[in-house]
Amino acid sequence: MPGGRLTQQERQQIALGLADGLAYAEIARRLDRPTSTITREVMRNGGPTAYRADLAHRATERRAHRRKPSAPREQRASAQPYGRDAEAVREFEEVYAAAMMASGMPLMMGRVLSCLTVSDSGSLTAQELAQRLQVSPASISKAIAFLDSQGMVRRERDERRRERYIVDDEIWYQSMMVSVRSTAQLVETTRQGVDVLGAGTPAAARLEGVARFLDFVSEGMARAAEQARDVLRTSPGSPQDSADPKSDRV
């Protein structure tokens, strides 16, 4: 399997594959590259709908010139706990961030959340995040502000008075509830439009249908989040694991 950086010709093949609607895995197979390499390349350079081979190539060259010399690969690997493969962990962080981006999260926010989630402590400072992701403190600050507004991180001061950003068992539940509350607000606003447009008119009927749909979805999300909340605190294989909501599905 070829190693090293992607060539301009390979990037052109990626662009053609995306235009043909090929999955990342199929593009990777044709180029004899890991799927994670293709996923990371596309998500770093505009995503599947905006990827351009020439722009991606120039951007990569600029990043290479700016990048500080990193520690030798062997040194980075020795810093990984539990005997993990350092490169495999790094690649997974970026693929996980790309998956979050594909679900609608901005890329830098996805990278920060991914980095926090795969750290054993689930807690890092702004400086630690900036060093691990090789980005500016301003980029970290902007990403944290967004994640905080969505209930996806929380802030604490450590013993050295440094602000730490944390993901824990409750974060995904709290984030889901933020979404529920946001949807409920949208339902309320939509129903205000029914009164403005006049009940029984085509536009009002359309808005009422939207409101009823969102209201139903919002209630379902809230119930599901409450029912599944304990799953976040339960280790696989523990007695409580039998209460997994999926266990009742046919």
Side-chain angles (χ1 to χ4, degrees):
M1 181 178 294
R5 295 176 183 166
L6 290 165
T7 66
Q8 189 162 14
Q9 184 177 5
E10 286 177 316
R11 290 191 167 94
Q12 290 169 349
Q13 292 299 312
I14 291 172
L16 290 173
L18 293 172
D20 289 340
L22 298 180
Y24 295 148
E26 176 59 21
I27 297 173
R29 187 188 66 78
R30 295 186 179 191
L31 293 177
D32 196 20
R33 291 275 192 172
T35 301
S36 59
T37 297
I38 306 304
T39 304
R40 185 167 61 249
E41 166 69 15
V42 174
M43 292 305 182
R44 273 182 174 175
N45 295 286
T49 59
Y51 182 83
R52 299 293 182 273
D54 54 342
L55 296 179
H57 196 70
R58 288 200 292 270
T60 301
E61 289 182 335
R62 287 196 299 271
R63 285 194 294 266
H65 287 308
R66 291 199 305 265
R67 189 173 296 136
K68 298 177 182 178
S70 58
R73 181 169 180 170
E74 294 77 9
Q75 182 177 336
R76 293 201 305 272
S78 64
Q80 278 291 326
Y82 303 105
R84 294 170 180 145
D85 183 320
E87 289 300 309
V89 171
R90 181 185 61 81
E91 284 202 356
F92 174 73
E93 277 190 28
E94 298 203 19
V95 171
Y96 195 31
M100 292 181 188
M101 181 182 174
S103 71
M105 184 179 291
L107 179 57
M108 182 52 62
M109 290 63 171
R111 292 189 69 200
V112 169
L113 185 58
S114 174
C115 191
L116 285 167
T117 303
V118 305
S119 67
D120 286 302
S121 66
S123 168
L124 295 168
T125 65
Q127 182 179 8
E128 289 167 340
L129 283 165
Q131 289 175 345
R132 288 178 63 148
L133 297 175
Q134 292 293 291
V135 297
S136 69
S139 295
I140 297 299
S141 178
K142 183 177 179 181
I144 288 295
F146 173 85
L147 293 170
D148 189 19
S149 72
Q150 300 300 306
M152 303 194 80
V153 299
R154 61 184 174 87
R155 305 167 188 249
E156 284 186 0
R157 294 281 179 181
D158 62 19
E159 65 281 357
R160 296 170 58 185
R161 304 301 299 164
R162 298 176 305 177
E163 189 170 69
R164 301 191 72 85
Y165 310 117
I166 299 168
V167 293
D168 58 20
D169 294 341
E170 285 290 294
I171 287 300
W172 289 101
Y173 168 78
Q174 295 296 341
S175 175
M176 182 69 71
M177 297 311 294
V178 167
S179 179
V180 167
R181 289 190 291 272
S182 177
T183 304
Q185 181 61 51
L186 180 57
V187 169
E188 182 179 339
T189 303
T190 302
R191 287 202 163 119
Q192 291 173 7
V194 174
D195 295 332
V196 172
L197 295 168
T201 65
R206 183 180 307 114
L207 282 181
E208 180 59 32
V210 170
R212 291 174 62 190
F213 170 79
L214 292 176
D215 199 19
F216 182 85
V217 169
S218 179
E219 288 184 5
M221 288 171 60
R223 283 196 304 271
E226 288 293 346
Q227 292 169 357
R229 193 174 186 178
D230 287 343
V231 174
L232 292 168
R233 305 184 209 129
T234 303
S235 301
S238 66
Q240 293 89 346
D241 195 36
S242 60
D244 189 333
K246 291 190 296 183
S247 63
D248 295 331
R249 295 180 187 172
V250 178

